[in-house]
Amino acid sequence: MARIDPAARVRNHIGEILREGPVDFDHLVDELVARELQLGPDPEDRVDQVIASMPTVEFASPPDTGDGTEHDLTDLAFDRVALLDGLTWTVPVSALDVASDTIHSRALGLLFIPLLQEWCHFEGGGSVDGDSDERRTAALMGDPDLAEDPDRSRIDNVTVPAGWLAAHGARGGGFIEMRLDGDTVVGSGVDEAAKATPEMIAALRDIIDPDAPEPESLFVHDLLFRVLVHHPELRGATLPPLDELFAAAGLERDSLWIAPAGFDFAADRLGRLVEDTADVYGFDGPQTAAFRALELAWRKFQADEIRDPEDLADAGRALGDRLVVAAFSDNVLIDSDATGTAGQLLAFALGLRDVTASKRRTGAAAAWLVAQIHAHVGRTDQFEHWVEIAHREDPDHPGAVHDLAWFAFDRGEARTARTQLASLATDAVAHDLAILDTVLAPHAPKARRNDPCPCGSGRKYKHCHLGVDEVGLDDRLTWLYRKANWWLGFKHRYEAEEMAWIRGRHSDLSPEQLLDRDPLIVDAVLVEGGRFAEWLSERGALLPTDEAMLAQAWALIGHSVFQVTDVRRGAGVTVRDVRTGDVIDVDERAGSRDLRAGGYILTRALPTGTGRHQFFGGITLVPDASLDRFLDVLDAEPTPVDVLSLVATTEAPPSVSNREGEAMVFCETTWQLSEPDQAAAILDANFEATVPPGEWTWLAPIDDDPDPAASTDGGRTVRGTLRIEADRLVTSTNSIERSEMLTTVITDVLDD
């Protein structure tokens, strides 16, 4: 009789083992086997698969022996939450921190991870959040004396539940000691911080040796986890403020990285950036070297180390590779948002233009780079000017062709845009080509190119109305909406990607998949995030007049909840805005096939050019039980985070338990039977037979039943079911505890 334990049971046992501390992977497998878990023909692979479904479990490399070899151990598995249980982090707090209930995320150390992932919560409820700017601004306005705080504009703050710091004794200029107790973070204000002990210093230096001949940097969280894994004597200790602890060990911190004091972090950052970018873009050796030359020149320019234009010569030569220039542009433009260096970046690009102007290919690349910077800061006229220069000098430059197509796309020049996009021969523009084909399909040329124009002007059609046949506004709605999306993808792509992570908190799909499939993400960024109005201010002048006027109306309409009152399958729906009471007829072919009268949806119903309406930004079903929550959020001028977090919560798995108070986890176990008929007879004697034959019910004894009056089977609770399929016995329960209990019962009766 052979069976394989369900993943839920294996996870449960792995959790029990790792709660005792990190375990060598091979030993973990051996312990699971010793507990008589059935892991199949390849136990290591089975355990590896189960661990992959446990987000709190990670692996740490074996410790370095110091002689160039490693201990004879496989990687150590550990549970991140269990490893931190009982450990106290000392966090400095200022008066502004206490008034605004904000904390510097870096000072939280490893406690930040379980709080952010909501694997644990603060005493009294709640977790960390990211709206620190709003909290700190409100505190400053309420008490001008707080403006003297030297850290008032500190970045990377997170918020804690309102009033939590003060309620736990935190005072400005002091500290808050925060300890993870099980799944709860408890706090206590103190005036003096703990000091670094020799044991703590030695543990840090064991992982990063400050005296190593070739020191390397480590990600701070990796360092701290490795310290706790390899030095169990520190578990449960009270750590001093991290910056003080690192300094005592001879270490220095650079954002999220740490290394021995005096380490060249600038060179290290450049090396990591070059390596990561080369991986993303698939650079070969020469391309990697060219990208490094560009990045190095940019860093020297920022540091005012470039005194002569000739110092840019190597970087200018690097512009000969278009992919390298595109990668550099993408990296530095995103970084310029955070550092405010767009003006300096423009000066750098113009310097590159000066040293490459006489060279056709590199000069065009420099002009295109200048154009991208103008586009990023919203100077649309200068953007087009420099794109035209780049295209004139290098008509085959794909970036310049793409950008000219973008201008034609926004201006409504469908045929020009289609010709230019098609010349790029890339799948990345397939969606835009499909939109243009749809627009142009019902508006085929009215005459051949060299025929007289049908308008009667006497000119040839190709010189008169070819390419400017009028397309009705209602036929351009998807095209208009796509124009805003195109700009958002260029200007705020990373913002949309961040929102996809929030939207996918409880989804089985990855953020990338959600960004492709759920238009609500981008629409929330455009509308609730204010980016639609920003797009209009930058590129609205390019739009045809009727589109610009309609887009202005669209910018004023946010998301709302609608009740579907009538459905016309394949044609449209009638909806009532629950917040305003307005009744609207909406043209909706695809969505109308899945909607039902009486249901609630989250969407935007936007006006068309003929006074009708269409849905844009997708259609999200609103559960009846969540209606009030949706209305409360939408009535409070929500941010994209508010809207997407709310939608994400509707996908969160329900927290339910069975009658015995056990967490509901549906478990199915399969047994291999050598004598099915004999097994069936034994099961008949020990379980309640049901119809059809070959199936049984496992009932709780009356004396053990927690609620016999509420039971449905003769006053007794059904704990599980059993059935025989050919030569297999399949058992099903709704909790891990019941699965283990039933396994014991079956083993006893069948083995006898």
Side-chain angles (χ1 to χ4, degrees):
M1 180 175 61
R3 68 185 180 91
I4 297 178
D5 280 305
R9 185 165 187 253
V10 179
R11 282 196 297 269
N12 189 45
H13 281 272
I14 291 175
E16 288 182 2
I17 295 169
L18 295 185
R19 274 195 289 273
E20 301 300 320
V23 178
D24 165 38
F25 180 75
D26 288 345
H27 293 168
L28 175 63
V29 176
D30 292 342
E31 174 64 20
L32 293 171
V33 173
R35 293 185 176 205
E36 299 184 349
L37 267 72
Q38 306 304 313
L39 303 174
D42 190 344
E44 291 83 2
D45 184 61
R46 172 67 171 164
V47 174
D48 202 38
Q49 289 177 353
V50 173
I51 286 179
S53 68
M54 302 175 69
T56 66
V57 177
E58 279 194 358
F59 290 96
S61 300
D64 195 327
T65 61
D67 58 3
T69 63
E70 291 185 341
H71 292 298
D72 187 20
L73 293 173
T74 57
D75 287 351
L76 295 171
F78 65 93
D79 185 287
R80 288 189 277 185
V81 177
L83 192 68
L84 303 180
D85 194 15
L87 189 66
T88 300
W89 305 85
T90 304
V91 179
V93 290
S94 66
L96 178 56
D97 292 337
V98 177
S100 61
D101 282 299
T102 59
I103 292 178
H104 200 325
S105 61
R106 297 178 191 174
L108 281 172
L110 298 179
L111 197 57
F112 178 65
I113 298 175
L115 281 171
L116 181 67
Q117 298 295 335
E118 297 185 359
W119 297 330
C120 67
H121 54 82
F122 286 101
E123 184 178 19
S127 190
V128 297
D129 204 348
D131 60 348
S132 60
D133 287 346
E134 182 177 342
R135 291 265 197 101
R136 291 172 79 84
T137 299
L140 286 168
M141 293 177 65
D143 186 352
D145 291 340
L146 296 176
E148 298 178 5
D149 189 326
D151 290 330
R152 63 185 180 276
S153 59
R154 188 181 62 206
I155 62 173
D156 295 335
N157 298 302
V158 292
T159 65
V160 301
W164 193 88
L165 290 174
H168 289 79
R171 294 187 299 178
F175 306 87
I176 181 80
E177 290 185 344
M178 302 174 68
R179 186 182 79 255
L180 181 61
D181 186 3
D183 63 354
T184 303
V185 174
V186 298
S188 178
V190 296
D191 293 330
E192 294 186 6
K195 303 299 181 183
T197 65
E199 292 78 13
M200 295 175 186
I201 294 171
L204 286 170
R205 294 171 69 96
D206 183 44
I207 306 300
I208 294 185
D209 183 4
D211 301 321
E214 296 183 2
E216 295 182 349
S217 65
L218 264 180
F219 191 59
V220 171
H221 287 179
D222 289 343
L223 167 67
L224 294 173
F225 273 129
R226 288 176 63 180
V227 165
L228 295 176
V229 166
H230 298 308
H231 292 274
E233 70 274 10
L234 296 184
R235 294 174 209 153
T238 297
L239 301 178
L242 283 178
D243 287 342
E244 295 180 15
L245 176 59
F246 293 151
L251 304 178
E252 186 177 342
R253 184 171 182 166
D254 179 63
S255 185
L256 297 178
W257 295 84
I258 193 165
F263 183 76
D264 190 348
F265 280 109
D268 191 54
R269 288 193 298 271
L270 176 59
R272 288 197 305 269
L273 174 63
V274 171
E275 182 178 345
D276 292 345
T277 305
D279 288 341
V280 170
Y281 287 88
F283 287 164
D284 57 21
Q287 288 175 316
T288 301
F291 182 78
R292 179 184 293 275
L294 265 176
E295 282 288 348
L296 184 59
W298 166 231
R299 280 162 171 71
K300 289 183 176 180
F301 191 90
Q302 285 180 290
D304 201 24
E305 296 175 6
I306 289 182
R307 309 294 183 184
D308 190 290
E310 286 305 310
D311 292 336
L312 291 172
D314 287 343
R317 285 188 286 272
L319 297 178
D321 192 295
R322 294 163 177 161
L323 183 61
V324 168
V325 180
F328 175 76
S329 172
D330 195 34
N331 280 334
V332 297
L333 288 177
I334 293 300
D335 184 60
S336 70
D337 285 340
T339 60
T341 56
Q344 196 175 20
L345 182 58
L346 180 59
F348 173 70
L350 289 171
L352 289 174
R353 171 67 180 174
D354 289 341
V355 300
T356 60
S358 62
K359 302 176 180 65
R360 173 180 169 273
R361 185 181 180 93
T362 55
W368 181 80
L369 181 58
V370 172
Q372 302 312 298
I373 300 166
H374 281 300
H376 196 72
V377 298
R379 300 189 192 108
T380 305
D381 55 344
Q382 287 297 305
F383 174 29
E384 185 173 24
H385 170 72
W386 283 95
V387 165
E388 290 173 343
I389 292 175
H391 185 257
R392 184 167 59 248
E393 295 182 0
D394 184 0
D396 296 325
H397 191 290
V401 173
H402 174 275
D403 292 340
L404 288 178
W406 184 7
F407 278 99
F409 194 89
D410 278 6
R411 288 191 169 107
E413 299 166 359
R415 290 190 175 85
T416 299
R418 196 201 182 288
T419 299
Q420 291 169 329
L421 288 175
S423 70
L424 296 173
T426 173
D427 292 339
V429 299
H431 178 60
D432 298 305
L433 288 173
I435 289 176
L436 293 173
D437 286 341
T438 300
V439 170
L440 291 170
H443 303 280
K446 298 176 181 177
R448 289 179 296 183
R449 290 174 55 82
N450 291 311
D451 287 348
C453 185
C455 75
S457 65
R459 303 173 64 197
K460 289 184 177 181
Y461 184 54
K462 66 181 180 181
H463 296 309
C464 192
H465 274 84
L466 177 61
V468 292
D469 290 324
E470 186 172 350
V471 179
L473 181 56
D474 276 14
D475 292 325
R476 289 179 270 137
L477 298 178
T478 300
W479 187 8
L480 173 59
Y481 186 72
R482 170 57 188 154
K483 294 175 183 182
N485 278 254
W486 188 332
W487 171 87
L488 187 76
F490 168 80
K491 193 77 175 283
H492 300 291
R493 181 178 78 251
Y494 288 96
E495 183 177 346
E497 291 173 351
E498 288 176 359
M499 293 303 102
W501 280 95
I502 292 172
R503 169 66 181 84
R505 181 173 296 176
H506 301 293
S507 174
D508 293 331
L509 300 177
S510 69
E512 293 78 11
Q513 290 172 319
L514 280 170
L515 200 54
D516 287 338
R517 301 183 189 186
D518 189 352
L520 173 64
I521 299 171
V522 167
D523 203 51
V525 175
L526 282 171
V527 183
E528 280 74 23
R531 300 304 186 187
F532 196 89
E534 183 183 340
W535 163 67
L536 278 176
S537 69
E538 286 191 15
R539 298 184 69 91
L542 300 173
L543 302 176
T545 302
D546 53 355
E547 290 185 17
M549 294 178 62
L550 184 61
Q552 292 286 354
W554 286 6
L556 302 176
I557 302 173
H559 288 91
S560 194
V561 174
F562 298 86
Q563 183 178 36
V564 179
T565 59
D566 182 56
V567 178
R568 300 177 296 282
R569 303 295 178 192
V573 296
T574 300
V575 296
R576 179 180 63 85
D577 190 325
V578 179
R579 298 165 63 218
T580 66
D582 294 340
V583 177
I584 304 171
D585 286 327
V586 181
D587 298 329
E588 179 64 38
R589 296 188 186 91
S592 63
R593 295 186 176 92
D594 299 321
L595 296 177
R596 61 175 178 82
Y600 296 98
I601 57 176
L602 174 73
T603 187
R604 285 201 302 151
L606 302 183
T608 70
T610 57
R612 300 187 65 80
H613 290 79
Q614 287 189 18
F615 290 141
F616 281 90
I619 300 172
T620 302
L621 299 180
V622 176
D624 291 0
S626 301
L627 177 61
D628 288 342
R629 292 172 58 200
F630 272 77
L631 297 178
D632 289 343
V633 169
L634 294 174
D635 285 342
E637 299 184 1
T639 65
V641 172
D642 295 331
V643 173
L644 297 172
S645 295
L646 178 61
V647 172
T649 60
T650 65
E651 297 179 347
S655 177
V656 294
S657 60
N658 59 25
R659 286 183 179 149
E660 292 166 326
E662 300 155 348
M664 294 280 278
V665 178
F666 291 97
C667 303
E668 186 174 273
T669 305
T670 302
W671 310 69
Q672 188 70 41
L673 301 175
S674 56
E675 299 181 16
D677 293 339
Q678 181 180 351
I682 295 173
L683 296 175
D684 277 335
N686 289 274
F687 298 94
E688 189 78 20
T690 63
V691 178
E695 296 187 5
W696 297 266
T697 301
W698 178 39
L699 300 173
I702 294 177
D703 293 342
D704 296 340
D705 197 320
D707 188 11
S711 302
T712 59
D713 195 295
R716 300 168 65 189
T717 297
V718 176
R719 284 182 168 172
T721 61
L722 307 87
R723 67 182 185 277
I724 289 181
E725 300 176 351
D727 60 348
R728 296 186 305 153
L729 169 64
V730 180
T731 64
S732 301
T733 65
N734 64 6
S735 75
I736 294 174
E737 292 82 359
R738 287 182 176 180
S739 178
E740 293 178 343
M741 189 185 303
L742 182 55
T743 294
T744 300
V745 173
I746 291 176
T747 301
D748 288 344
V749 299
L750 291 186
D751 283 353
D752 291 343

